[in-house]
Amino acid sequence: MTHSTFDPHHTDLDTAQASSVEPSPVLPPLVWHEGDMPYSTAFGDHFYCRSDGRAECGHVFLTGNGLPERWIGRSDFRIGELGFGTGLNAMESWRQFKATRRPGDRLTFTSFELYPMQAEAIGRALSRWPEIEAERQALLRLWPADPQGRIECELDEATRLVVICGDALTTLSQMNTPFDAWYLDGFAPSRNPAMWSLDLMRRLFDLTRPSGRFATYAAAGFVRRNLAEAGFKVERKPGFAGKREMLCGEKPIA
């Protein structure tokens, strides 16, 4: 692991739990479309919007979570993500954080990923966007040769990336640190329903600070119902690139 140092008291998982994480399953073969767009053969879906995944990240995940405004002036802002994939959302969020943060602001981005990619595949996928070239290069320098377990990268003096490899519900059940924002970016609900289950949404709710938010490109009825049943106040917003709807919302203050 590449360890961060700016928050020595940070513990998402205790030492015993972190060391007991099962090895990650082998990533099924990827198919590459249009040169640098990865397609998952395991889930039959692309890793991001085919028109512009970086712009989609801004529209769905940042704007849907009220960012960057909500992390300004925060010394311990935490984003959680379901589905690290290529790291695109993390790198775009880091880029925007660097552009807007104030002295003393700190960001921890924690992502949960069943099938972590090799550095070569991450580099190929992110090469699509020159806007995040500096972030891509930094991630590739820190990414381990054998990604599994708990990966920690100190991206800079104010930004930490944590990728926890394995089943999301299993690893989230070991967490105790609350989050301010969630990016729900698993593969399409019709192709990966376990990532959108009621049990998982309830666990996310438990790990969300009061007035914390979530956002997702998904708009399937059962996803909306599961989020609402878990306790979130759910909103429908216009989706990206002509998609009719996306979902976002917040955890009410008790």
Side-chain angles (χ1 to χ4, degrees):
M1 295 187 294
T2 303
H3 292 279
S4 177
T5 57
F6 71 71
D7 182 2
H9 304 295
H10 170 80
T11 53
D12 284 334
L13 297 166
D14 66 29
T15 303
Q17 290 169 325
S19 62
S20 65
V21 175
E22 293 294 323
S24 301
V26 176
L27 175 67
L30 297 175
V31 174
W32 294 89
H33 293 166
E34 302 170 28
D36 52 14
M37 180 177 290
Y39 176 89
S40 170
T41 58
F43 295 102
D45 201 3
H46 290 92
F47 279 78
Y48 41 74
C49 172
R50 298 189 71 174
S51 59
D52 189 338
R54 190 184 72 87
E56 181 186 37
C57 173
H59 178 91
V60 174
F61 299 114
L62 283 114
T63 300
N65 274 294
L67 304 174
E69 294 81 6
R70 290 179 59 231
W71 65 41
I72 295 173
R74 294 286 301 276
S75 62
D76 185 28
F77 196 87
R78 297 176 182 271
I79 296 173
E81 177 186 48
L82 297 187
F84 183 69
T86 66
L88 172 59
N89 294 332
M91 295 302 97
E92 175 62 12
S93 297
W94 180 29
R95 184 190 72 82
Q96 294 205 31
F97 181 63
K98 288 189 292 182
T100 59
R101 69 191 181 196
R102 298 173 181 172
D105 291 356
R106 299 288 185 270
L107 173 66
T108 300
F109 191 106
T110 303
S111 189
F112 301 84
E113 175 58 54
L114 182 60
Y115 296 118
M117 280 188 179
Q118 295 295 317
E120 180 181 5
I122 288 175
R124 180 176 176 180
L126 296 183
S127 67
R128 192 177 186 89
W129 295 281
E131 297 89 346
I132 56 169
E133 178 60 18
E135 291 76 17
R136 181 182 81 98
Q137 293 291 348
L139 177 61
L140 295 179
R141 287 193 295 269
L142 294 168
W143 196 249
D146 182 21
Q148 59 179 301
R150 180 187 175 93
I151 302 164
E152 297 188 30
C153 303
E154 185 178 356
L155 299 176
D156 61 27
E157 71 281 359
T159 318
R160 173 192 284 115
L161 170 68
V162 181
V163 180
I164 300 175
C165 306
D167 176 76
L169 184 57
T170 299
T171 52
L172 278 162
S173 70
Q174 301 170 352
M175 302 286 292
N176 53 31
T177 303
F179 291 85
D180 299 283
W182 285 99
Y183 295 5
L184 307 187
D185 196 27
F187 287 108
S190 61
R191 300 178 186 275
N192 187 21
M195 187 64 90
W196 310 89
S197 70
L198 178 57
D199 286 344
L200 189 50
M201 298 304 104
R202 282 174 170 161
R203 188 60 190 145
L204 295 187
F205 183 84
D206 291 342
L207 289 171
T208 303
R209 287 182 172 134
S211 75
R213 293 189 61 83
F214 76 87
T216 178
Y217 70 89
F222 86 92
V223 173
R224 177 174 48 81
R225 290 189 294 272
N226 285 351
L227 285 161
E229 187 169 341
F232 288 105
K233 180 182 178 182
V234 181
E235 309 167 49
R236 300 178 184 179
K237 298 286 187 180
F240 177 73
K243 186 173 181 181
R244 187 167 64 90
E245 289 183 341
M246 56 171 271
L247 301 176
C248 59
E250 68 177 8
K251 179 175 181 173
I253 298 175

